[in-house]
Amino acid sequence: MVFFMCSGKEGNGFFFGLATAPAHVEDRLHDAWLQFAEENPCHKSETGDDPVQVEAVIGAAAADGSSHQAPLTRKDSIKKKKPLKVAMEAMIRGLQKFVEDETEEEEEVEVEEEGKVSASNEECHHNVAAWHNVPHPEERLRFWSDPDTELKLAKDTGVSIFRMGIDWTRIMPQEPVNGVKDAVNYAALERYKWIISRVRSYGMKVMLTLFHHSLPPWAGDYGGWKLEKTVDYFIEFTKLVVNSVSDMVDYWITFNEPHVFCMLTYCAGAWPGGHPDMVEVATSALPTGVFMQAMHWMAVAHSKAYDYIHEQSTLSNKVVGVAHNVSFTRPYGLFDVAAVTLANSLTLFPYVDSICDKLDFIGINYYGQEVISGAGLKLVETDEYSESGRGVYPDGLFRLLIQFHERYKHLKVPFIITENGVSDETDVIRRPYLLEHLLAVYAAMIKGVPVLGYLFWTISDNWEWADGYGPKFGLVAVDRANGLARIPRPSYHLFSKVVSTGKITRADRERAWNELQKSAKEKRTRPFYRAVDKHGLMYAGGLDKPTQRPYIERDWRFGHYEMEGLQDPLSRLSRSLLRMFSLKKRRKSKKVDSELVLQTLEPSV
């Protein structure tokens, strides 16, 4: 028995692709992320007048590394403002809190070599985890100097679409205050044009992203997307790109996950270029706060870029959209329902609503589910998780596609799964993850959701934002100690098979799932790059070295996941009382047959 996904060559209207981005893969790129990673908070002397020092949990620091003059050995009385440790969801929602430590501490600050200073009560934290402890982290994947390594790996899977980006910083290394001409690196623009031509020479079409979480450092210095002039600068950048490569680009993505960028940059200060003060943090979610402000200007920039691409593109079929991040969120307890409602009201629909008249497709980036507990994300011990702390839940992709289709079907625009993937160095979770999410897409299509294609994230393990090189998202492993040698994982070959045949077989699905269940039954473990507090809440900061987490036996296959009820004491007590007085006997869970039975998905009438 097989499930048909349509041809991988776009012939029947459905395509497969692979996705990446400049900040993840390009070498010789002195962007904000490289500067951010190279900062070392340990070199910053602390006084009461210095900016608030930020710990690893929020991943930001304001250090220059070497410009401070070494002070003499002394004792200082310091009144410090400390960031409260908060979990991932609090950081994403911009709820970082600070408290003033009223106790005055005495710190021994000693002169060390080369003018560096050390504080006895301070720990050394890096802005980017799992970055300083790997060989040659600044090289990323050398996609700039050697794109063919990644392109050949992509081509050999049989995909027809290659998603990449053009880095704004590389094209405009300085602010164009005196006009664009003197601020543009035209040689870099030509190099990008050559790389895009290489993509096409491998027989793949190009999906090009203009802004993928990488704000030029000069824009971050003056406030970035909080100010209207950034729109003008971005449009100048867009014009340069469109005028240079529009005849070679088939799909355009103006912005990748704008609400994620705004929250982590301007609300939490966890990404480079934000530098929010305490007032901005406290008011970030208000209608006049920095989040709405930045989102507004990014919506204006999208609309202007959309118009320009349509005016100038030489291709008859101009396709422009955004890549919108969605997660399936659910409350852990009764008192978390309001938090889920608030989270969804800020992130799920507002940005797409604001630009819905300027979209040729809606891109969906989906990785999994989030269980909200209080101001943070709960790690549910019975759920399976990626290395970066995202709950595995294929049904969520199906449910969100149905939800988005119902809301936007009047636009008559299709969807593209612009990102879907899982960080899993062992590759044991990735194989069933891939198949089950494809089945979720297939089921949504049968229900009438127009999905044009599916792009997997990503080809090779790369730099994963503030988590560095910890979480492994690649179909291909990278040996960073051996010249970035590539080692295709079993999932690479499985993905290639699905792409080339357009089918998911019963045997492949059963084999992938049984291997995961075998690992769970044998109590095997795998890496996990999130710290968890005593209440089971995950901190936002990644880890330099992973902990170990066991595989979970829970059945999370598409159509099989049984949602748990609310877990607060009142809800649990209510369920216990209902079970006690219920006359119905609980049905025993059916044992999974050795032969997997798939129910036929009937099309809707």
Side-chain angles (χ1 to χ4, degrees):
M1 182 177 180
V2 297
F3 273 73
F4 288 87
M5 288 297 300
C6 303
S7 169
K9 295 295 182 182
E10 275 193 297
N12 296 330
F14 188 91
F15 60 78
F16 289 92
L18 287 164
T20 188
H24 289 281
V25 298
E26 288 186 14
D27 54 325
R28 305 178 189 176
L29 178 60
H30 196 69
D31 61 344
W33 278 101
L34 183 61
Q35 296 177 22
F36 190 60
E38 289 179 338
E39 288 176 354
N40 189 346
C42 301
H43 296 177
K44 185 178 179 65
S45 67
E46 184 182 23
T47 69
D49 296 327
D50 283 345
V52 176
Q53 193 174 36
V54 185
E55 299 181 20
V57 66
I58 54 175
D64 57 25
S66 62
S67 63
H68 291 289
Q69 186 177 2
L72 298 175
T73 302
R74 69 182 188 274
K75 289 187 177 181
D76 288 337
S77 292
I78 300 172
K79 182 177 286 187
K80 297 192 290 186
K81 288 183 178 178
K82 294 181 176 179
L84 285 175
K85 280 195 172 184
V86 293
M88 184 187 301
E89 190 64 24
M91 184 181 98
I92 291 177
R93 307 303 170 194
L95 299 178
Q96 177 193 356
K97 296 181 177 67
F98 295 87
V99 290
E100 207 169 71
D101 189 357
E102 296 296 341
T103 62
E104 295 186 344
E105 299 183 29
E106 288 190 344
E107 294 188 350
E108 293 283 351
V109 183
E110 299 178 353
V111 180
E112 293 186 324
E113 292 181 359
E114 300 178 0
K116 297 178 183 178
V117 297
S118 65
S120 61
N121 293 333
E122 291 298 319
E123 295 181 5
C124 177
H125 295 301
H126 297 299
N127 295 340
V128 178
W131 194 89
H132 293 262
N133 59 349
V134 301
H136 308 295
E138 75 287 347
E139 291 187 347
R140 306 183 211 203
L141 289 182
R142 298 182 193 151
F143 185 75
W144 178 256
S145 57
D146 176 27
D148 288 279
T149 298
E150 286 292 281
L151 294 179
K152 188 177 187 307
L153 285 166
K155 173 188 177 295
D156 289 347
T157 65
V159 298
S160 57
I161 300 293
F162 185 83
R163 181 184 170 195
M164 57 172 285
I166 289 185
D167 189 81
W168 187 359
T169 304
R170 200 189 285 277
I171 301 302
M172 279 186 180
Q174 59 186 6
E175 183 179 355
V177 288
N178 297 319
V180 173
K181 185 177 180 181
D182 295 333
V184 173
N185 184 343
Y186 289 98
L189 196 58
E190 285 300 311
R191 177 71 178 182
Y192 273 122
K193 188 174 182 178
W194 177 81
I195 291 174
I196 291 173
S197 70
R198 293 297 297 159
V199 176
R200 297 179 68 85
S201 73
Y202 280 100
M204 296 180 289
K205 293 184 177 181
V206 177
M207 179 179 288
L208 192 68
T209 307
L210 294 174
F211 186 86
H212 200 133
H213 296 334
S214 190
L215 185 72
W218 50 261
D221 289 343
Y222 68 68
W225 288 107
K226 293 185 288 184
L227 300 181
E228 183 179 7
K229 71 175 181 177
T230 307
V231 175
D232 298 328
Y233 289 156
F234 178 75
I235 296 304
E236 292 299 329
F237 161 70
T238 299
K239 289 179 179 179
L240 287 165
V241 174
V242 173
N243 294 343
S244 178
V245 302
S246 64
D247 59 332
M248 298 189 291
V249 175
D250 301 276
Y251 300 89
W252 294 85
I253 292 176
T254 56
F255 288 94
N256 181 80
E257 302 178 351
H259 78 264
V260 174
F261 174 83
C262 289
M263 285 181 171
L264 293 179
T265 303
Y266 300 119
C267 302
W271 281 6
H275 317 298
D277 56 34
M278 292 176 62
V279 174
E280 287 180 321
V281 169
T283 62
S284 59
L286 298 178
T288 57
V290 290
F291 175 71
M292 295 298 185
Q293 188 178 5
M295 289 291 285
H296 167 72
W297 293 124
M298 292 179 93
V300 171
H302 165 84
S303 297
K304 290 187 175 183
Y306 177 94
D307 289 339
Y308 189 81
I309 294 170
H310 274 262
E311 290 169 4
Q312 301 297 321
S313 179
T314 58
L315 296 179
S316 58
N317 185 24
K318 311 171 189 68
V319 185
V320 185
V322 294
H324 181 58
N325 178 267
V326 295
S327 297
F328 184 86
T329 55
R330 63 182 177 92
Y332 182 71
L334 179 63
F335 302 106
D336 301 315
V337 173
V340 171
T341 303
L342 175 62
N344 287 337
S345 70
L346 289 172
T347 64
L348 204 55
F349 298 121
Y351 186 76
V352 178
D353 286 348
S354 67
I355 60 171
C356 64
D357 59 334
K358 302 283 186 177
L359 289 172
D360 301 318
F361 72 90
I362 299 173
I364 297 293
N365 293 0
Y366 178 84
Y367 289 92
Q369 72 168 332
E370 296 172 343
V371 180
I372 296 181
S373 177
L377 289 184
K378 181 77 172 180
L379 188 146
V380 180
E381 291 296 339
T382 56
D383 273 342
E384 191 65 88
Y385 284 85
S386 70
E387 293 173 346
S388 48
R390 187 60 57 86
V392 178
Y393 182 50
D395 289 62
L397 178 55
F398 169 79
R399 296 172 69 167
L400 284 164
L401 281 172
I402 296 295
Q403 193 174 359
F404 268 72
H405 178 54
E406 286 299 313
R407 188 177 185 92
Y408 297 114
K409 61 185 177 183
H410 66 282
L411 300 177
K412 301 187 185 304
V413 297
F415 296 89
I416 298 175
I417 308 303
T418 40
E419 289 181 27
N420 179 237
V422 63
S423 51
D424 173 30
E425 184 177 0
T426 66
D427 209 46
V428 174
I429 297 173
R430 184 177 291 107
R431 279 170 280 169
Y433 179 101
L434 167 65
L435 299 182
E436 300 305 324
H437 282 80
L438 283 173
L439 289 175
V441 174
Y442 176 71
M445 293 169 66
I446 286 180
K447 290 294 184 180
V449 181
V451 182
L452 288 183
Y454 173 93
L455 281 73
F456 191 81
W457 183 276
T458 182
I459 308 165
S460 301
D461 294 339
N462 54 40
W463 182 347
E464 183 56 30
W465 308 123
D467 287 337
Y469 293 98
K472 306 297 192 295
F473 276 90
L475 295 169
V476 179
V478 179
D479 186 351
R480 302 201 66 84
N482 187 26
L484 305 185
R486 307 301 207 275
I487 306 100
R489 294 185 168 107
S491 58
Y492 175 86
H493 303 292
L494 177 60
F495 179 71
S496 302
K497 180 181 179 181
V498 174
V499 171
S500 61
T501 64
K503 302 174 184 177
I504 297 175
T505 67
R506 178 198 301 275
D508 285 339
R509 190 188 189 202
E510 183 177 353
R511 188 181 304 111
W513 182 252
N514 287 346
E515 183 172 342
L516 173 60
Q517 291 304 292
K518 179 182 177 183
S519 297
K521 287 180 172 62
E522 294 176 354
K523 308 299 181 184
R524 296 180 187 174
T525 61
R526 42 59 172 224
F528 190 65
Y529 283 90
R530 283 281 176 264
V532 182
D533 71 7
K534 63 182 180 180
H535 303 293
L537 296 179
M538 291 183 283
Y539 289 133
L543 301 174
D544 283 335
K545 295 182 180 180
T547 59
Q548 292 294 311
R549 177 174 167 79
Y551 296 99
I552 305 301
E553 290 190 51
R554 182 174 191 158
D555 191 350
W556 50 259
R557 290 171 296 169
F558 174 66
H560 290 251
Y561 187 99
E562 294 184 4
M563 190 67 69
E564 296 169 332
L566 298 174
Q567 296 300 304
D568 60 283
L570 180 60
S571 297
R572 289 200 296 266
L573 176 62
S574 299
R575 285 197 299 275
S576 298
L577 292 175
L578 287 173
R579 283 196 295 267
M580 187 182 302
F581 293 103
S582 176
L583 297 178
K584 295 182 180 179
K585 293 183 178 180
R586 295 181 64 192
R587 293 183 295 176
K588 294 183 179 180
S589 58
K590 295 181 180 179
K591 187 176 180 180
V592 178
D593 296 331
S594 58
E595 183 179 1
L596 187 64
V597 178
L598 301 179
Q599 295 183 350
T600 304
L601 296 173
E602 298 294 342
S604 58
V605 179

